[in-house]
Amino acid sequence: MNYRSFRGTEISEIGLGTWQLGSADWGVVNDDEAFAILQSFVDAGGNFIDTADVYGSGISEKVIGRFLKTTTKDLYVATKLGRRHDGSCGWPQNFSYDGMKAHLENSLENLQLSQLFLEQLHCIPTDELRKGDVFDHFRKLQDEKLIRHWGVSVETSEEALLCLEQDGLASMQIIFNLFRQHVADEIFEKAKEKNVALIVRVPLASGLLSGKFHEGYVFNETDHRNYNANGEAFNVGETFAGVAFNDGVQLAKEIAAILPGDNMAQLALRWILDHDAVTTVIPGASKVSQVESNTAASDLSPLPTEVHAQLRDLYNEKIKAKIRGVY
């Protein structure tokens, strides 16, 4: 495993996304399976874990919290807030100082931690980012030692550029993959200038860039790849990176024909890592074999320049026009 600097802390360039460990939106992952996934990740040298308070309404955070008690490894846990709609929570009260502190303290309790390595805004409305109060709340929570760093998870390049103007921003989580290549042109250099860590989510386009699906494949009713396939529940970009499923299956075949190897998922992750502005990539996993494959991408050699050029040509000619939703 190779590591990259996150504001002076060396974190694994392949992290672990844990939406799956919430046992909602992807199917059920029991505690034994979740612990095996986390242990496999740590055994491979991984040390950066990303979660959110809404992943299974706290289930993902609680599983990670229990796992942290079983290991002596130095692990860096990031979570997210802002999307809860339970009880008295919701928009806009989620974005008050009291609301953010309450949600942060709940995450700390779930994770059994006294301080978070990283707390992030979880794709909140653009107007709240423009208003800017949420950033002041984060600065206050940082002064109170509840968080070490704060960052944002955004949907669009407009939001990314808006957040990059904020002093103290440590990280930005973005969708970036072979189905969403233009993001590098729009924000990567500015993020480097500002020393803002880039955390890449949806790196395999919800599994499409593994090359393992066929047209007409039917996902379980509780899987977001079924109920949000066309953006019915939340931003369509969070599912298949905004590309319609059957289109994505065909485009993945064209990408696979360019990539120099058989393990498409690994090579798709390697493509992301070839961008030096990227700090870490956070593919999720619902089984140990996926963790082993994903983490091994760190050991691959960079892709040849001509392969990058061919992939960008394919993107410009056939893929970008098929992206749906805001980006």
Side-chain angles (χ1 to χ4, degrees), residues 17 26 61 87 95 103 162 214 236 246 296 312:
W26 292 84
E61 289 182 333
F95 314 124
H103 294 168
L162 186 66
H214 57 79
V236 68
N246 286 339
R312 186 54 189 259

Side-chain angles (χ1 to χ4, degrees), residues 24-316:
D25 307 311
W26 292 84
V28 175
V29 177
N30 64 42
D31 268 14
D32 288 344
E33 292 169 329
F35 269 53
I37 287 167
L38 289 160
Q39 188 62 57
S40 176
F41 175 67
V42 173
D43 289 344
N47 67 2
F48 182 78
I49 300 171
D50 179 79
T51 185
D53 58 5
V54 292
Y55 292 168
S57 299
I59 290 174
S60 177
E61 289 182 333
K62 289 175 182 177
V63 169
I64 293 166
R66 292 193 294 273
F67 177 78
L68 293 176
K69 296 299 182 184
T70 71
T71 182
T72 59
K73 301 285 188 179
D74 290 330
L75 302 179
Y76 303 100
V77 179
T79 192
K80 299 182 286 291
L81 58 76
R83 299 193 66 84
R84 286 175 60 172
H85 288 274
D86 51 311
S88 62
C89 304
W91 295 350
Q93 56 265 41
N94 281 2
F95 314 124
S96 68
Y97 168 75
D98 288 341
M100 288 174 63
K101 184 173 183 179
H103 294 168
L104 166 59
E105 290 179 332
N106 186 221
S107 290
L108 287 170
E109 181 181 357
N110 288 342
L111 291 162
Q112 302 183 54
L113 296 170
S114 59
Q115 183 189 58
L116 276 173
F117 176 72
L118 175 65
E119 179 66 281
Q120 304 157 99
L121 297 173
H122 196 175
C123 300
I124 70 171
T126 309
D127 286 346
E128 292 294 336
L129 298 175
R130 287 197 188 97
K131 189 162 63 174
D133 292 349
V134 287
F135 303 114
D136 290 332
H137 301 335
F138 265 163
R139 294 181 185 105
K140 186 175 180 180
L141 294 167
Q142 192 175 37
D143 288 342
E144 294 171 354
K145 308 299 183 185
L146 292 175
I147 55 177
R148 185 171 169 188
H149 302 289
W150 55 269
V152 295
S153 182
V154 297
E155 300 283 12
T156 69
S157 292
E158 177 193 2
E159 291 174 350
L161 292 170
L162 186 66
C163 293
L164 283 168
E165 297 303 318
Q166 291 291 330
D167 291 337
L169 179 73
S171 67
M172 180 173 297
Q173 194 171 133
I174 56 168
I175 298 174
F176 179 60
N177 57 45
L178 285 162
F179 286 166
R180 195 74 74 92
Q181 298 183 33
H182 68 278
V183 176
D185 306 333
E186 297 171 350
I187 67 170
F188 277 24
E189 283 306 312
K190 187 159 188 177
K192 287 172 66 176
E193 290 171 11
K194 297 279 188 175
N195 191 28
V196 172
L198 291 179
I199 302 169
V200 173
R201 73 177 188 277
V202 200
L204 299 179
S206 309
L208 268 182
L209 290 170
S210 69
K212 295 181 179 179
F213 292 110
H214 57 79
E215 285 191 37
Y217 186 94
V218 178
F219 294 93
N220 187 283
E221 288 184 4
T222 60
D223 192 314
H224 76 101
R225 292 173 291 184
N226 179 315
Y227 68 77
N228 195 59
N230 299 301
E232 297 92 335
F234 42 83
N235 180 20
V236 68
E238 302 292 343
T239 305
F240 308 129
V243 174
F245 178 75
N246 286 339
D247 286 342
V249 169
Q250 291 304 314
L251 291 168
K253 291 178 181 178
E254 296 192 48
I255 289 170
I258 296 171
L259 291 171
D262 296 329
N263 192 320
M264 185 175 181
Q266 280 186 357
L267 293 166
L269 293 174
R270 181 65 253 176
W271 177 87
I272 295 170
L273 293 175
D274 287 351
H275 296 79
D276 64 2
V278 170
T279 304
T280 188
V281 187
I282 51 170
S286 56
K287 56 185 70 172
V288 167
S289 60
Q290 293 171 341
V291 178
E292 293 171 343
S293 175
N294 293 340
T295 53
S298 178
D299 296 326
L300 297 180
S301 298
L303 299 179
T305 302
E306 59 269 24
V307 170
H308 276 275
Q310 291 175 52
L311 291 168
R312 186 54 189 259
D313 287 345
L314 176 63
Y315 179 75
N316 291 337

Side-chain angles (χ1 to χ4, degrees), residues 1-4 11-15 270 273 279-281 297-298:
M1 177 67 72
N2 293 307
Y3 301 83
R4 302 188 183 191
I11 67 170
S12 52
E13 64 182 13
I14 300 290
R270 181 65 253 176
L273 293 175
T279 304
T280 188
V281 187
S298 178

